[in-house]
């Protein structure tokens, strides 16, 4: 187990707040360490199971803005929008500018529609590597609402703070040499546009967005637009293309020749402070200007920072934690990372580009429109956490998915850059929307949602062009014919080819989720059919081995089978032994296939004891909680706490895999609170081992749900007994309804397992076969 290491910025905070009275005054945002996950992981499981270099990285950035903002601002150390390259890596030592980024938090996709703003002194240099300045982490301050750094080579103190669609930068030039600010649309294709409006003191422009995965390289029909307003008169200005600088140039449009381009302004050689106000949009330059005027207006740098600070405190403060300072840093930093995506996509007036094409512009009436749903990852815990803590915003996100379906014709599977993709396996909009409705989120058009979810589940997309572009469930024809996706179906019209067993397991779960929504809406025939399909997982769990296994159309199992092989063609990013456990809708049924609870537990023990568990990849995330389904909840308590301590810390390498849209951190946030949503689409959370002495969750107006863990410590991780609102409590799960009502769950903790608590049949969570 590694000893947690606090980054410099957090150590400074810790030393500043030295006594209990001072510590009590700290707010949730003060605990956030934004650099966690910006360096490669050092966990044993990451080193043992990762194959691609990007799998060892959290792929997070020190994002500045507000929760779920349209554009986040980060120091840039990598000048590219290339797949799997984040804008910032902690181990880099040169600052290339502040990037207005749309990087999908912790992902292996690509940035898009981004811009970079770089101050420099002396000679005008446009190349990102050549203009970059050495910087030191000892001379930076990084929080969710602010980033400031000393640029050694240029003798500039650079600062940024931001709101949802806007930002304000402040550059203090101290060298006495000529002062410049470079503006670059980061179009790798060389298709950006810039215009210098000297009479207005502005630079405006855009960066066209291109698709990856389905339709790779094709225009997405949208751009990232920006308007920048400077508070000082330009002494000189111009544009540049490649290495060619054009003084007094006013306008430049890239020709798609993969050349870098941009604009610059100069302010003379005085030691001075320059402030830049920036508006961004996905609709137009006019939209960016309107966002700038209405959202930022004439606010000062300090006022914007306070507004951002307050927004983070309000969001993070939905959970109040009592415990160690380090654990609060770990928890609130995780909670911060869960709130970087999905991103706001609509302007202040509600305008947003049509899904899957961009035109015509749409208007969000009564909701805000969101995009960038890392659905294969976030359906597990990140979206359920949003539903729990921010039900209104979660409803807006559900309505956003509905509008995407209405505009594009199909419910999207993994919607990013406002377009269809089939980036990963599964069909998890079914899970996310059913989970929201089950948990009393109602501010979206559920009937329209159901129609499109049903279309995904029942209709094969026979239009080859749109299917290849990402519309419709992958391999649905095979799945409906056989009850599983056979090995003969290579699923070539997807970014992830084959992976037939993983698809089958995830489709069976998704169909279960849609069955719960169908039941709620009174659609009995659909519900019955979908509940039967939810048992399709049985077709790919081999009873002779008890593991998920590839299967041919004639029923034969694949030969030469090793359940512990780190990769298998029929499994998504992992081993058969890891994916076997993805049957959250029917854990009791999985136990029967394996030969009963004792064999089920033995297989779980093998996975953990022999090091086959890999926390850095999301299909593993529910596994530790499955012991509770087999009458051994104390092992869930044991392993949940072990994972918290061995797979996470507050160092820059403190994540054991890609953050993936907040999922890695959502697992941590839930688990530190003491419960986890094993099967979204049901209303149950399975209890684990809470880290904090006490947490209180705001669950409504003047309502809180409190979990008190008496005597808790890393040794005293086991539940001895429990009461809910003063009454004895033996269930190994709590319901969403119980959380919403408010109340107090008291857990008496101890250093030895109570092997009788929570072991009766009535104490065990939901399973489709059992119920």
């Amino acid at each position: 187990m590694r000893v947690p290491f606090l980054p410099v910025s957090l150590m400074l905070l810790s030393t500043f707040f030295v006594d209990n009275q001072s510590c009590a005054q700290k707010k949730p945002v003060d605990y956030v360490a934004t650099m966690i996950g910006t360096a490669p992981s050092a966990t044993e499981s990451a080193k043992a199971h990762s194959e691609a270099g990007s799998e060892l990285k959290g792929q997070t950035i020190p994002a500045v803005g507000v929760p779920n903002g349209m554009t986040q601002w980060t120091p840039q150390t990598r000048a590219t929008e290339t797949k799997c390259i984040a804008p910032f890596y902690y181990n880099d030592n040169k600052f290339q500018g502040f990037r207005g980024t749309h990087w999908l938090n912790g992902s292996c996709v690509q940035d898009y529609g981004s811009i970079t703003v770089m101050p420099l002194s002396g000679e005008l240099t446009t190349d990102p590597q050549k203009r970059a300045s050495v910087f030191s982490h000892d001379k930076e301050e990084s929080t969710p609402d602010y980033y400031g750094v000393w640029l050694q080579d240029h003798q500039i103190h650079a600062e940024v703070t931001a709101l949802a669609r806007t930002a304000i930068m402040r550059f203090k030039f101290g060298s006495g040499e000529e002062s410049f600010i470079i503006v670059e649309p980061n179009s790798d294709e060389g298709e950006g546009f810039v215009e210098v409006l000297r009479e207005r003191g502005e630079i405006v422009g855009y960066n066209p967005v291109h698709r990856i995965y389905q339709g790779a390289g094709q225009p997405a029909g949208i751009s990232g637009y920006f308007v920048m307003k400077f508070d000082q008169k330009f002494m000189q200005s111009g544009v540049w293309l490649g290495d060619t600088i054009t003084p007094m140039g006013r306008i430049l449009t890239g020709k798609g020749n993969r050349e870098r381009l941009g604009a610059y302004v100069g302010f003379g050689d005085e030691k001075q402070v320059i402030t830049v106000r920036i508006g961004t949009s996905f609709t137009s330059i006019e939209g960016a200007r309107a966002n700038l005027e209405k959202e930022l207006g004439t606010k000062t740098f300090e006022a914007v920072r306070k507004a951002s600070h307050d927004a983070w405190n309000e969001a993070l403060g939905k959970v109040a934690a009592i415990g160690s300072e380090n654990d609060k840093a770990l928890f609130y930093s995780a909670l911060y990372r869960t709130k970087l995506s999905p991103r706001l996509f609509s302007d202040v007036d509600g305008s947003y580009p049509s899904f899957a094409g961009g035109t015509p512009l749409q208007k969000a009436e009564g909701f805000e429109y969101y995009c960038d749903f890392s659905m294969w990852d976030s359906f597990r815990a990140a979206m359920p956490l949003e539903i729990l803590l921010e039900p209104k915003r979660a409803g807006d996100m559900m309505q956003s998915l509905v509008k995407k379906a209405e505009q594009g014709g199909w419910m999207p599977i993994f919607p990013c850059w406002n377009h269809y993709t089939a980036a990963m396996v599964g069909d998890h909009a079914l899970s996310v929307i059913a989970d929201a409705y089950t948990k009393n989120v109602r501010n979206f058009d559920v009937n329209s949602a159901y129609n499109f979810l049903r279309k995904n589940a029942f209709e094969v997309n026979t239009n080859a062009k749109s299917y290849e572009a990402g519309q419709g469930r992958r391999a649905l024809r095979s799945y409906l014919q056989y009850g599983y996706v056979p090995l003969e179906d290579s699923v070539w019209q997807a970014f992830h080819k084959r992976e037939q067993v993983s698809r089958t397991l995830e489709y069976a779960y998704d169909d279960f989720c849609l069955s719960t929504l169908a039941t709620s809406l009174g659609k009995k025939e659909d519900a019955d059919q979908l509940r039967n399909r939810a048992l399709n997982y049985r077709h790919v769990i081999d009873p002779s081995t008890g593991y998920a296994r590839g299967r041919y159309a004639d029923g034969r199992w694949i030969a030469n089978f090793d359940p512990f092989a780190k990769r298998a063609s029929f499994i998504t990013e992992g081993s058969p032994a890891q994916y076997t456990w993805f049957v959250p809708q029917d854990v009791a049924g999985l136990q029967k296939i394996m030969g009963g609870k004792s064999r089920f537990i033995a297989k779980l023990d093998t996975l953990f004891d022999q090091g086959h568990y890999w926390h850095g990849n999301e299909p593993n995330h529910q596994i530790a909680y499955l012991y509770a389904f087999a009458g051994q909840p104390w092992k869930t308590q044991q392993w949940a706490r072990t994972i918290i301590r061995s797979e996470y810390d507050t160092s820059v390498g403190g994540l054991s895999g890609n953050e993936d849209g907040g999922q890695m951190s959502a697992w941590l946030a839930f688990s530190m609170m003491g419960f986890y949503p094993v099967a979204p689409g049901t209303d149950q959370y399975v209890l684990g081992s809470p880290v904090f002495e006490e947490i209180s969750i705001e669950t409504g107006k003047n309502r809180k749900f409190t979990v008190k863990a008496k005597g808790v410590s890393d040794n005293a991780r086991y539940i001895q007994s429990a009461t809910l609102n003063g009454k004895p409590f033996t269930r190994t799960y709590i319901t969403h309804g119980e959380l919403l009502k408010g109340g107090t769950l008291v857990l008496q903790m101890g250093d030895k397992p109570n092997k009788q608590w929570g072991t009766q049949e009535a104490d065990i969570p939901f399973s489709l076969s059992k119920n």
Side-chain angles (χ1 to χ4, degrees):
M1 185 179 301
R2 294 173 296 152
V3 177
F5 168 75
L6 291 175
V8 170
S9 59
L10 197 57
M11 287 193 292
L12 290 174
L13 283 170
S14 298
T15 56
F16 181 76
F17 297 99
V18 290
D19 57 76
N20 289 337
Q21 184 176 1
S22 296
C23 287
Q25 295 172 355
K26 289 178 71 172
K27 296 179 179 179
V29 71
D30 298 325
Y31 287 100
V32 175
T34 62
M35 294 291 176
I36 295 173
T38 60
S41 173
T43 69
E44 292 304 315
S45 70
K47 289 186 284 188
H49 295 282
S50 299
E51 290 191 341
S54 64
E55 290 177 347
L56 278 169
K57 300 172 184 175
Q59 298 286 74
T60 65
I61 58 175
V64 174
V66 295
N68 303 95
M70 173 183 286
T71 303
Q72 289 141 358
W73 295 88
T74 181
Q76 173 183 304
T77 65
R78 302 286 176 103
T80 181
E81 289 186 336
T82 300
K83 184 176 183 291
C84 293
I85 303 297
F88 176 88
Y89 290 101
Y90 187 88
N91 292 337
D92 294 341
N93 66 354
K94 287 194 173 183
F95 175 95
Q96 298 177 348
F98 287 130
R99 187 188 293 193
T101 181
H102 306 117
W103 175 253
L104 178 54
N105 174 30
S107 67
C108 195
V109 292
Q110 68 185 39
D111 205 348
Y112 66 91
S114 70
I115 52 170
T116 299
V117 183
M118 176 66 184
L120 59 148
S121 297
E123 182 181 357
L124 177 61
T125 307
T126 60
D127 181 271
Q129 282 74 38
K130 294 177 182 177
R131 77 186 183 218
S133 173
V134 170
F135 76 103
S136 168
H137 294 298
D138 293 332
K139 294 185 178 180
E140 73 176 353
E141 181 182 353
S142 181
T143 71
D145 54 81
Y146 172 86
Y147 181 89
V149 66
W150 175 249
L151 305 181
Q152 178 179 317
D153 294 343
H154 299 301
Q155 299 292 291
I156 298 169
H157 186 230
E159 303 171 280
V160 64
T161 186
L163 300 175
R165 308 167 181 89
T166 58
I168 184 168
M169 297 179 188
R170 187 164 59 193
F171 303 116
K172 298 177 182 177
F173 293 87
S175 71
E177 299 182 90
E178 188 73 25
S179 302
F180 293 100
I181 295 178
I182 297 281
V183 177
E184 179 178 4
N186 298 305
S187 173
D188 285 349
E189 292 79 10
E191 294 183 356
F193 167 83
V194 289
E195 183 175 5
V196 181
L197 302 174
R198 289 181 64 98
E199 66 283 358
R200 299 182 64 133
E202 293 181 351
I203 296 177
V204 303
Y206 59 79
N207 178 7
V209 178
H210 292 76
R211 300 174 68 188
I212 62 170
Y213 300 129
Q214 280 60 50
Q218 298 174 11
I222 60 173
S223 295
Y225 296 91
F226 62 90
V227 171
M228 298 184 185
K229 184 175 285 290
F230 299 79
D231 72 338
Q232 301 291 332
K233 183 178 179 181
F234 302 162
M235 303 296 288
Q236 57 175 304
S237 64
V239 296
W240 52 274
L241 178 66
D243 293 326
T244 302
I245 296 172
T246 305
M248 298 304 294
R250 293 179 62 89
I251 190 166
L252 184 62
T253 304
K255 305 299 183 184
N257 297 325
R258 305 191 71 80
E259 293 180 290
R260 308 193 76 89
L261 62 88
Y264 71 90
V265 288
F267 300 94
D269 57 7
E270 295 180 8
K271 294 183 179 181
Q272 58 189 313
V273 179
I274 307 294
T275 299
V276 188
R277 297 172 181 274
I278 306 171
T280 65
S281 173
F282 290 107
T283 63
S284 63
I285 289 173
E286 292 73 20
R289 180 173 282 113
N291 289 342
L292 176 59
E293 292 172 352
K294 294 177 183 178
E295 184 178 277
L296 194 65
T298 59
K299 294 183 180 73
T300 64
F301 189 98
E302 287 73 21
V304 173
R305 183 176 184 183
K306 183 180 185 303
S308 175
H309 189 84
D310 291 347
W312 280 110
N313 269 326
E314 181 181 0
L316 301 177
K318 294 293 177 70
V319 184
I322 298 175
S324 74
E325 293 295 281
N326 191 73
D327 281 339
K328 284 189 276 189
L330 192 64
F331 175 77
Y332 286 116
S333 298
L335 207 54
Y336 154 78
R337 292 190 298 273
T338 69
K339 296 180 177 298
L340 300 181
S341 60
R343 81 177 62 259
L344 179 67
F345 229 73
S346 50
D347 290 342
V348 289
D349 69 351
S351 298
Y352 67 92
S354 290
F355 184 68
T359 55
L361 292 183
Q362 304 286 339
K363 185 66 72 75
E365 302 285 356
F367 75 106
E368 292 188 313
Y369 179 77
Y370 290 86
C371 201
D372 289 353
F373 291 78
S374 187
M375 204 75 84
W376 183 76
D377 313 286
S378 61
F379 84 89
R380 306 166 197 273
M383 288 306 302
L385 189 63
E386 187 77 21
I387 289 165
L388 174 62
L389 299 181
E390 301 283 357
K392 166 61 171 66
R393 181 177 287 160
D396 285 358
M397 291 176 179
M398 299 308 108
Q399 185 66 3
S400 299
L401 292 172
V402 171
K403 290 300 179 183
K404 294 178 199 302
E406 290 175 352
Q407 292 159 24
W410 293 83
M411 183 62 72
I413 293 168
F414 194 101
C416 285
W417 37 99
N418 207 39
H419 225 294
Y420 286 102
T421 83
M424 299 297 294
V425 304
D427 192 4
H428 299 309
L430 281 68
S431 168
V432 168
I433 293 176
D435 192 47
Y437 196 80
T438 294
K439 293 171 179 172
N440 206 39
V441 173
R442 295 290 187 269
N443 57 312
F444 69 99
D445 187 343
V446 68
N447 292 310
S448 181
Y450 183 81
N451 290 336
F452 284 104
L453 295 173
R454 189 188 188 284
K455 182 178 181 181
N456 273 31
F458 284 92
E459 295 185 27
V460 175
N461 186 357
T462 58
N463 184 302
K465 185 176 180 180
S466 69
Y467 179 68
E468 188 173 349
Q471 294 168 272
R473 187 185 288 193
R474 308 293 94 174
L476 180 59
R477 188 186 302 277
S478 293
Y479 178 73
L480 294 177
Q481 180 177 352
Y482 299 101
Y484 62 97
V485 183
L487 293 172
E488 287 90 344
D489 190 339
S490 67
V491 201
W492 67 266
Q493 307 96 333
F495 180 77
H496 280 237
K497 312 292 190 287
R498 298 178 291 277
E499 303 179 9
Q500 300 92 338
V501 169
S502 295
R503 293 178 194 278
T504 301
L505 292 171
E506 296 195 21
Y507 290 161
Y509 161 72
D510 291 329
D511 288 344
F512 162 76
C513 291
L514 189 56
S515 78
T516 69
L517 185 58
T519 298
S520 297
L521 298 179
K523 302 179 184 297
K524 185 178 185 305
E525 185 177 344
D526 281 359
D528 291 344
Q529 189 172 348
L530 288 161
R531 283 173 74 89
N532 286 331
R533 283 168 51 173
L535 301 175
N536 281 343
Y537 72 89
R538 296 172 175 174
H539 300 309
V540 291
I541 305 293
D542 177 9
S544 70
T545 65
Y547 286 110
R549 187 170 181 178
R551 197 170 195 180
Y552 294 99
D554 63 5
R556 289 179 298 117
W557 299 103
I558 192 170
N560 302 317
F561 174 64
D562 177 5
F564 303 109
K566 291 182 180 178
R567 297 293 188 276
S569 66
F570 51 85
I571 295 293
T572 300
E573 298 179 357
S575 70
Q578 292 163 357
Y579 237 105
T580 294
W581 308 100
F582 191 75
V583 189
Q585 75 277 18
D586 194 20
V587 181
L590 181 62
Q591 291 173 18
K592 292 175 185 176
I593 294 177
M594 289 182 173
K597 288 184 179 180
S598 61
R599 292 188 178 181
F600 176 90
I601 290 168
K603 281 188 171 349
L604 278 175
D605 289 344
T606 296
L607 189 82
F608 285 105
D609 294 341
Q610 296 185 9
H612 299 299
Y613 177 82
W614 178 21
H615 192 72
N617 207 31
E618 284 74 16
N620 291 252
H621 279 191
Q622 82 285 356
I623 299 176
Y625 287 87
L626 300 187
Y627 283 106
F629 291 77
Q632 291 194 357
W634 63 270
K635 285 186 179 177
T636 284
Q637 297 152 28
Q638 171 189 324
W639 283 109
R641 179 61 65 93
T642 297
I643 294 167
I644 289 170
R645 294 308 187 203
S646 63
E647 301 291 336
Y648 299 88
D649 62 37
T650 56
S651 74
V652 293
L655 294 178
S656 61
N658 291 175
E659 171 67 17
D660 282 331
Q663 172 56 30
M664 283 289 291
S665 292
W667 186 96
L668 179 63
F670 266 122
S671 295
M672 291 184 78
M673 290 192 291
F675 51 92
Y676 186 79
V678 168
T682 73
D683 68 345
Q684 296 181 359
Y685 304 86
V686 179
L687 295 178
S689 178
V691 165
F692 294 109
E693 301 162 28
E694 182 177 316
I695 60 107
S696 291
I697 306 168
E698 292 184 11
T699 59
K701 188 175 182 180
N702 300 320
R703 291 198 307 274
K704 291 184 179 181
F705 188 87
T706 300
V707 179
K708 295 183 178 180
K710 293 189 173 182
V712 70
S713 69
D714 282 345
N715 289 328
R717 63 179 64 181
Y718 300 105
I719 298 172
Q720 306 299 300
S721 62
T723 62
L724 178 62
N725 298 327
K727 298 179 180 179
F729 185 83
T730 58
R731 278 193 273 117
T732 57
Y733 65 92
I734 54 176
T735 69
H736 192 76
E738 288 167 338
L739 295 180
L740 291 187
K741 285 180 184 176
T744 302
L745 176 66
V746 179
L747 306 174
Q748 186 65 52
M749 309 300 289
D751 60 3
K752 292 183 175 58
N754 179 349
K755 297 184 180 181
Q756 280 71 51
W757 183 85
T759 60
Q760 301 304 306
E761 195 64 30
D763 300 327
I764 293 174
F766 170 89
S767 281
L768 187 57
S769 293
K770 186 181 76 169
N771 294 73

